[in-house]
Amino acid sequence: MTRLAFGIEEHIGKYLSAKFPELMTHGEYVPHRAVGFVDDEGLLIGGVGLCFENAFDAQLSIHLDNPACLSRGILKQLFTICFDEFRLVRLSCHVKKSNKKARKFVERLNFKLEGVKKRGFDGKRDACIYGLTRDECIWLR
């Protein structure tokens, strides 16, 4: 059974840096806040990094070794933390336009495509910009 882990931002930053080398700034991805997904043995099997754009919006970076580990309860906890504890109004995701699997994943989380940013993913490839507001979040209902 998957559970959430807190207070391990540095560890999650290293995990996400290995999964998304294009996120690294000055050698390592350092999220402002992070939440880990751990298995029954306490092993990190996924992570969410949040980089705050301002007081109401954060860019979310997420990776899971096995997306099937996300239950409705885990998603409710995750989005409750983002929208209630961190008091965010919206979340944003930048997904490489050619990564259809990741785009489908964030769409299943109910993020909506808001546009395409030319060369916005890594300076070379286009990024699809997705957004999710608290009001649109199906996981909080």
Side-chain angles (χ1 to χ4, degrees), residues 13 18 20 22 41-42 48 55 59 61 68 70 72 77 81 89 94 96 100 109-110 117-118 129 139 141:
F20 303 113
E22 57 277 342
E41 298 169 12
V48 172
Q59 185 169 326
S61 300
L70 285 183
R72 291 185 70 76
Q77 280 183 286
I81 290 163
V89 175
H94 294 194
K96 185 171 40 174
K100 292 182 184 355
L109 293 177
N110 209 41
K117 190 174 186 180
K118 296 290 183 194
I129 311 301
W139 310 104
R141 296 183 188 146

Side-chain angles (χ1 to χ4, degrees), residues 119-139:
R119 295 186 177 182
F121 188 74
D122 58 3
K124 299 173 193 152
R125 295 170 286 186
D126 296 345
C128 289
I129 311 301
Y130 287 89
L132 177 68
T133 65
R134 188 188 198 296
D135 296 339
E136 298 168 330
C137 186
I138 60 174
W139 310 104

Side-chain angles (χ1 to χ4, degrees), residues 54-118:
N54 50 49
F56 59 87
D57 186 8
Q59 185 169 326
L60 179 139
S61 300
I62 184 169
H63 186 275
L64 295 151
D65 292 338
N66 180 3
C69 73
L70 285 183
S71 66
R72 291 185 70 76
I74 289 289
L75 289 168
K76 180 176 174 53
Q77 280 183 286
L78 176 64
F79 287 107
T80 297
I81 290 163
C82 292
F83 289 117
D84 293 344
E85 186 177 323
F86 298 154
R87 299 178 186 228
L88 296 170
V89 175
R90 61 170 283 123
L91 294 169
S92 302
C93 273
H94 294 194
V95 181
K96 185 171 40 174
K97 187 176 180 182
S98 63
N99 190 341
K100 292 182 184 355
K101 185 176 176 182
R103 290 178 59 194
K104 227 177 197 12
F105 175 71
V106 297
E107 288 168 3
R108 279 195 308 269
L109 293 177
N110 209 41
F111 280 79
K112 304 293 185 228
L113 180 64
E114 296 178 333
V116 176
K117 190 174 186 180
K118 296 290 183 194

